[in-house]
Amino acid sequence: MRHNLHLQIGPASFRIGSAWAAPIRALSALYQDYPQAELPCDFTVRLEPQKPWRRWLRPSVSIAGDYVLPGAAPLPLEHGLLAAEMGMNLQMALGQKRLLLLHAATVERGGRALVMTGESGAGKSTLAALLGESGWRLLGDEFALLDPDTGLLHPFPRAVSLKNGAIAVLEGKVAADRFGPLLVGTPKGHIRHLRPNREAIERAREPARPALILFPRFGADLPEAVRGVGAAEAFVRLTQASTNYGHLGLRGFEALTRLVTQTEARAIDYHQTATALRLVETLWAEDAA
Amino acid sequence: MAGPRYTADPPGAMPTVELNGLTALFHVRSGMTHILAAPAPQILALLAEGPTTRETILARLTDRFAVESEGDVLELLEARLSELENAGLVWRS
Amino acid sequence: MSEQDESGQHESGAGASRRYVLALGAAAASTVVTIRPALAQTAGSIVNCEIPVPAPQAAGSYIAPDGSVVAPGTPGAFPPASRPLKGEEVKVMLRGGTPPGIDAESSQAYANYIRRLQAGMSGFTCYASLQMPR
Amino acid sequence: MRGGAALLVRLLRNPIAAERIGPEAWSEVIAAARAESLLGSLASRLGGMPLPAKLGALLDDARRDAERARVQALWEAEMARRALARLEVPVVLLKGTAYVAAGLSAGVGRSIGDLDILVPHHRLQAVQAALIDAGWEWVKEDGYDDLYYRRWMHELPPLIHRERDRMIDVHHTILPLTARRRPSAAALIAASERLGNGLRVLAPADMIVHAAAHLFADGDLAGGLRNLWDIDRLVRDFGARQGFWTELEQRARLHQLLGPVARSLRLSAALYGTSVDIALAGPARLSDRMYIRRLLARDGWGRATRPAVRLAFYIRSHWLRMPPLLLARHLWVKARR
């Protein structure tokens, strides 16, 4: 495809081709400091018109590639950056066969990692982005990649996808040149991508040992609460947070049982980001130290 | 007595990990993971000694444990065996 | 099953042999639970999965024609689906059809809602399974 | 085109060529191979070759994934065996599951979807009941589809297992009853060979006849490169056996599939360099070129190319499967829903 780009994000490399120049331009600006991709690429993503004439006429981007969701609605060309991000996530979710993929945000301090997993809307991305600006290294806001051979977590520091209210929170803390364009009225509301800081990008191939697993739950009227999560419950919840547990077979079983038997797990309820940040620091001091 | 004999794969083909009171089991032949509660792991352990009938399983269980039940013992054992059978961990021959 | 593991096996204090008590459980109890893949393996798994519209966290909210979740009673929006939608129905809706018992307009709003599902949201797994390449 | 299906085929045919391929072209080969469900087969072909580390790791993943597919396919077959054991019907495994169960080269690295089995037509009811008893369910609840399947198709409507999420296709013959050719299902079952666990696979010649029927009759040659790869591997496994080619000709004739078998042999020889019996394959035809263009219509981004050729094959495939009047009726009922 005429417009294209290679990207290395943590252990995975992507080849992104586009029928239009704009999405590739936006991607290369957002990912300007990232290292050269290792070839051959693990995954191919294509941004293409759904029908040939939709390249020019009311252009809309449909997401294709090695692994696809054919029924997914195309996005307007202005949201091409989001389409590229979704395309890369999809390849990881459906195509990752080496590392156990957990739908979780991860940060690291002192070589030890905190894993936060929960349904979308639990505030993982926001928490990870904030922690990543305050003494923690951001490993990733979307996927945690557990290496069955080592038991370590690999970073996947793609651009953080900030939604709605979280955008302003981070705009107040981070230099403007690390943000992508504001995408208005996407299927998920307003979205603005944030490039992780230099440390997160430079150490993107440096894994960390898991030390604490949190299952955060956010709700406007949820009272603050902390509860221990037993190994069996953590195991079952993590199999459900993984898109490829079944694909990894015995390697996945061994990796995940080792993770839950060697790592503390807690569920936390919160209704304010500040509360969650405080709980994280307290539990980290108790459990991981 | 001509009841069916129950068989299970050898323990080496079913690695397990204890998770606070429950047993996580990986069944190599199917690639599937099961979470087991008592008495399922104990029954599988017995079947590791070789194919055997329902009655013998019960006799051996009673021999090794103080077996408690809220109904007909053989019927309940049958229910447990058929759960294992549905999961593909045990089959009749 | 969680009660089972409490009572299933404990040391019998009474017996001199210190034998373990082993409860056989109730007839309807479940002592074997199989981990199901979060992403189903076949396109056919559609019969087994359901998508709540909207997700339980937004229960009661209405669905706008473009699929976004809006406040109950918003003009032009549709009331939530009265029950979770079956994979097979969703497939029909995504092709622009109308499954029995759902009117055409809400059906398209629900389809748009489902198209917007993201990883981690209730129903995404089902939706993704529907679309899995075989 | 250089990095797409054509290069993929060259590598499958001659793995030594891998040493001369640059990293950019490898990205293209991998995308094309994924799109054609041939990455596992390619990875197995290239096993043991000294390749750059990143590429090697990627191919390791593909081999592991194929191994998982193999385990899963054999397990589904085993569960079907247990469900049907008491009926004492011959259960013949078909396609990918048969290849891995019989340990054939066609199974190495292959992606495997549903479980396909062949059983005698007069035992369909009993088989269906036993499967439903063991946890399989109908995928669709739709009167027309059901009737359509029962009247016209070569298989039951698909069933899915409610716990394991896997589908089974129960065939009673290998082509739809609407097709003009009528293979002999009874002969297929009678000649089938018993495996150690009691399940059966088709006899070698029948296996190739079925693979050829599947290649041309099922769909618009979508997935054709993989189906043709099956044929290449099967011929390499069986071709040197005493009397094999005579047997293949007789079976192809018996099943009214001489033409498709001959063409699949020519295409396999042309694309994969398979050694085939010249007399059976027959002389190259002009239309073979069209088939080859269709089979190679995939570029290095994994995109389908040559839309006109594809469309021609699509229309042709529907034409092939149903007599015109029936096709019209089918499209009419589909359109009204």
Side-chain angles (χ1 to χ4, degrees):
Chain A
M1 298 179 89
R2 204 151 60 86
H3 310 285
N4 62 74
L5 175 75
H6 291 168
L7 273 184
Q8 180 80 39
I9 302 178
S13 56
F14 299 86
R15 183 172 63 135
I16 300 138
S18 167
W20 305 270
I24 298 297
R25 239 186 349 251
L27 266 183
S28 51
L30 186 59
Y31 285 92
Q32 52 183 287
D33 300 330
Y34 280 61
Q36 183 109 38
E38 253 185 275
L39 298 181
C41 289
D42 292 281
F43 301 110
T44 292
V45 175
R46 305 193 308 266
L47 305 178
E48 55 191 25
Q50 210 173 18
K51 294 278 188 293
W53 59 86
R54 291 300 288 272
R55 183 164 176 176
W56 297 281
L57 195 68
R58 285 187 294 128
S60 67
V61 185
S62 81
I63 303 166
D66 292 339
Y67 300 88
V68 286
L69 297 181
L75 295 170
L77 186 53
E78 309 89 84
H79 297 162
L81 181 60
L82 178 61
E85 289 284 338
M86 289 170 68
M88 288 190 281
N89 283 347
L90 200 60
Q91 303 313 307
M92 290 298 281
L94 304 180
Q96 177 57 244
K97 309 283 164 96
R98 186 180 326 163
L99 305 165
L100 184 71
L101 186 147
L102 301 170
H103 189 238
T106 335
V107 292
E108 174 260 2
R109 200 156 68 184
R112 299 154 64 77
L114 163 69
V115 178
M116 295 175 283
T117 180
E119 295 237 325
S120 269
K124 303 186 305 283
S125 276
T126 315
L127 289 178
L130 285 170
L131 290 168
E133 299 303 321
S134 49
W136 297 73
R137 170 167 70 113
L138 177 76
L139 298 187
D141 78 316
E142 182 87 14
F143 296 138
L145 304 171
L146 181 64
D147 189 333
D149 294 330
T150 60
L152 301 179
L153 288 162
H154 288 276
F156 188 64
R158 43 151 248 174
V160 178
S161 159
L162 298 169
K163 289 164 206 104
N164 304 316
I167 298 174
V169 175
L170 269 297
E171 279 172 345
K173 290 186 179 295
V174 177
D177 65 353
R178 278 177 48 206
F179 285 94
L182 178 67
L183 307 175
V184 178
T186 77
K188 295 185 264 189
H190 294 351
I191 285 187
R192 197 162 183 195
H193 291 99
L194 168 68
R195 180 168 63 249
N197 60 27
R198 188 163 290 278
E199 190 195 12
I201 297 168
E202 279 172 0
R203 295 173 62 193
R205 300 305 286 271
E206 194 183 305
R209 181 154 304 283
L212 176 63
I213 302 166
L214 291 182
F215 296 95
R217 195 162 60 133
F218 169 81
D221 39 9
L222 265 187
E224 175 182 331
V226 176
R227 169 174 82 77
V229 175
E233 183 188 345
F235 178 79
V236 174
R237 288 177 75 156
L238 289 172
T239 62
Q240 298 312 295
S242 171
T243 54
N244 66 353
Y245 172 75
H247 274 84
L248 265 63
L250 183 57
R251 286 157 47 81
F253 175 80
E254 287 172 347
L256 202 56
T257 48
R258 186 157 47 142
L259 177 69
V260 299
T261 48
Q262 296 181 358
T263 318
E264 283 297 326
R266 298 269 182 278
I268 60 173
D269 291 351
Y270 69 100
H271 59 274
Q272 268 186 331
T273 307
T275 316
L277 293 173
R278 173 171 51 74
L279 288 176
V280 164
E281 295 289 353
T282 316
L283 293 172
W284 183 261
E286 284 173 16
D287 293 331
Chain B
M1 190 115 49
R5 290 155 69 82
Y6 290 89
T7 310
D9 289 305
M14 298 190 286
T16 58
V17 173
E18 293 305 313
L19 299 177
N20 52 328
L22 298 174
T23 302
L25 177 147
F26 184 80
H27 185 220
V28 172
R29 241 178 122 185
S30 64
M32 295 197 299
T33 303
H34 308 277
I35 308 285
L36 309 180
Q42 289 77 8
I43 294 174
L44 288 178
L46 278 181
L47 289 175
E49 296 161 22
T52 183
T53 61
R54 204 175 54 157
E55 287 72 16
T56 315
I57 296 171
L58 184 60
R60 291 195 193 153
L61 281 179
T62 326
D63 200 37
R64 289 169 212 192
F65 302 97
V67 172
E68 281 181 357
S69 83
E70 302 157 29
D72 182 83
V73 193
L74 265 183
E75 255 172 45
L76 287 174
L77 178 60
E78 179 101 27
R80 300 290 80 87
L81 282 166
S82 76
E83 279 189 275
L84 290 164
E85 217 179 335
N86 286 337
L89 295 172
V90 159
W91 66 98
R92 298 177 207 202
S93 48
Chain C
M1 200 164 91
S2 52
E3 298 103 88
Q4 264 281 302
D5 72 72
E6 300 296 327
S7 63
Q9 193 180 17
H10 54 82
E11 263 181 276
S12 155
S17 58
R18 297 181 58 76
R19 292 195 312 162
Y20 282 101
V21 169
L22 188 68
L24 287 184
S30 182
T31 62
V32 182
V33 173
T34 301
I35 300 290
R36 292 179 71 103
L39 264 186
Q41 305 289 305
T42 61
S45 47
I46 50 181
V47 281
N48 290 320
C49 69
E50 293 183 335
I51 303 184
V53 180
Q57 302 94 305
S61 299
Y62 276 36
I63 309 295
D66 69 352
S68 52
V69 178
V70 295
T74 303
F78 302 93
S82 54
R83 55 179 169 78
L85 300 171
K86 293 253 181 246
E88 189 59 38
E89 295 172 326
V90 171
K91 214 170 153 193
V92 171
M93 285 166 35
L94 291 174
R95 282 194 306 241
T98 308
I102 299 174
D103 72 79
E105 285 180 319
S106 14
S107 170
Q108 280 324 292
Y110 295 164
N112 287 331
Y113 168 85
I114 289 161
R115 290 196 179 97
R116 293 169 164 230
L117 287 176
Q118 299 297 318
M121 287 169 71
S122 298
F124 175 78
T125 299
C126 178
Y127 170 58
S129 312
L130 281 171
Q131 316 291 352
M132 280 289 272
R134 294 252 249 89
Chain D
M1 199 57 241
R2 186 185 51 89
L7 184 51
L8 167 64
V9 164
R10 211 173 91 209
L11 281 166
L12 283 168
R13 178 177 178 156
N14 176 24
I16 302 296
E19 288 166 4
R20 298 191 301 273
I21 292 175
E24 291 268 359
W26 273 116
S27 295
E28 301 184 9
V29 170
I30 288 159
R34 283 203 178 113
E36 296 288 346
S37 305
L38 274 166
L39 187 59
S41 307
L42 178 66
S44 306
R45 268 304 258 165
L46 299 175
M49 287 195 55
L51 295 169
K54 174 73 197 283
L55 174 62
L58 230 153
L59 296 175
D60 279 343
D61 292 348
R63 278 186 289 264
R64 257 201 307 263
D65 201 39
E67 174 55 19
R68 177 199 57 83
R70 190 185 74 89
V71 166
Q72 204 166 34
L74 291 177
W75 180 247
E76 275 311 293
E78 169 65 11
M79 290 313 270
R81 186 194 69 75
R82 290 182 193 175
L84 301 176
R86 64 185 167 79
L87 299 184
E88 296 184 345
V89 293
V91 176
V92 184
L93 302 173
L94 299 174
K95 304 186 207 171
T97 310
Y99 306 152
V100 293
L104 298 170
S105 333
V108 178
R110 196 181 189 277
S111 65
I112 305 174
D114 307 339
L115 169 64
D116 293 277
I117 61 170
L118 173 70
V119 298
H121 191 224
H122 69 278
R123 301 301 306 276
L124 271 182
Q125 289 294 340
V127 166
Q128 176 186 312
L131 290 174
I132 286 173
D133 206 36
W136 275 270
E137 300 173 335
W138 299 116
V139 173
K140 299 186 182 189
E141 306 280 353
D142 181 309
Y144 173 71
D145 275 332
D146 196 45
L147 192 67
Y148 171 76
Y149 267 97
R150 279 166 209 281
R151 261 167 83 178
W152 304 114
M153 291 305 281
H154 53 308
E155 58 197 20
L156 291 175
L159 289 155
I160 185 163
H161 194 275
R162 73 170 164 255
E163 292 299 325
R164 293 191 308 279
D165 247 3
R166 306 287 300 177
M167 298 234 275
I168 186 169
D169 282 327
V170 181
H171 303 244
H172 54 82
T173 182
I174 55 169
L175 279 182
L177 301 178
T178 51
R180 279 160 244 167
R181 304 170 191 275
R182 289 296 169 92
S184 164
L188 290 169
I189 293 172
S192 66
E193 298 178 354
R194 194 176 184 280
L195 302 171
N197 60 2
L199 290 168
R200 314 182 72 88
V201 295
L202 294 176
D206 283 345
M207 215 179 251
I208 291 174
V209 171
H210 179 218
H214 182 54
L215 169 63
F216 297 115
D218 202 33
D220 53 352
L221 281 194
L225 273 187
R226 203 277 308 273
N227 295 334
L228 192 64
W229 180 247
D230 286 346
I231 290 174
D232 169 81
R233 296 289 101 182
L234 292 173
V235 169
R236 282 172 200 265
D237 280 356
F238 302 134
R241 291 191 186 181
Q242 187 74 34
F244 171 76
W245 293 100
T246 318
E247 176 75 10
L248 180 57
E249 201 216 327
Q250 284 168 359
R251 299 303 283 191
R253 193 182 301 281
L254 168 74
H255 298 303
Q256 304 181 4
L257 285 161
L258 212 43
V261 166
R263 191 188 299 271
S264 68
L265 294 175
R266 293 197 301 276
L267 294 176
S268 180
L271 285 177
Y272 295 128
T274 325
S275 306
V276 300
D277 182 76
I278 303 291
L280 181 54
R285 295 225 212 147
L286 214 54
S287 53
D288 289 351
R289 302 185 65 88
M290 188 72 169
Y291 280 88
I292 289 172
R293 282 178 58 77
R294 166 63 187 90
L295 288 168
L296 295 180
R298 177 81 61 190
D299 72 8
W301 284 90
R303 286 180 297 187
T305 54
R306 298 173 182 156
V309 177
R310 281 176 182 272
L311 181 64
F313 273 91
Y314 177 76
I315 293 170
R316 190 182 154 283
S317 78
H318 273 74
W319 198 255
L320 257 188
R321 251 189 287 183
M322 292 182 202
L325 258 178
L326 185 58
L327 174 61
R329 191 179 105 82
H330 175 67
L331 295 177
W332 167 245
V333 175
K334 286 264 177 206
R336 283 203 311 177
R337 289 198 290 183

